[in-house]
Amino acid sequence: PLRAIFSDIDGTLVHYAKDFTKHGIRLLSSDETALTAIVENENGDRRKCRLLPSSTMGPACISERTIELVDELRVEHGVMFCVVTAARKSTMVSRWDLLPRCDAHVCESGSRIWVNGIPDEVFANQFVNVCGPMNREVEGADERMEPLWQFYRKLRERVPGLTMDS
């Protein structure tokens, strides 16, 4: 029996308006204050969506139907659901309440894990010398001195116009 699902976020659960037309979808309306949107497919079927913030890729949508299906898997079938993303902690935190309820959240390519909403600091402490402490409040990349952030600044300087999530 199915016991767990691990899902990426971007392009799997969440889709970006910039990619809609190539999939026959159009964004009919969006309300950035209410964080809601309506999308329509080429057959005229409409879906209510949640609008997620993204600092690098523009507006993103997750359908309410997706939320319902994940809830059904978890509640009615006992399937654990985990989202896994390379996105930064700041992005995950800003999206947390808009994503389906999850048993675990993983971000920063696996260096940050929350199980049932509780951070796994023992695991994260393995990476503290590279990317910093998990409990550090979100702050600008220029204030972070760990090697990961030194590399971030170097990359930002060497690749003009590169949009990076920090």
Side-chain angles (χ1 to χ4, degrees), residues 41-56:
N41 69 14
E42 53 199 7
N43 298 326
D45 298 325
R46 294 181 178 190
R47 292 266 166 107
K48 292 180 182 177
C49 297
R50 297 177 184 183
L51 196 61
L52 284 77
S54 172
S55 63
T56 58

Side-chain angles (χ1 to χ4, degrees), residues 141-142 144-145 149-157:
D142 293 330
R144 302 173 190 173
M145 293 299 119
W149 300 106
Q150 292 172 21
F151 178 70
Y152 171 94
R153 289 187 293 275
K154 188 181 291 186
L155 192 59
R156 184 180 62 194
E157 290 169 11

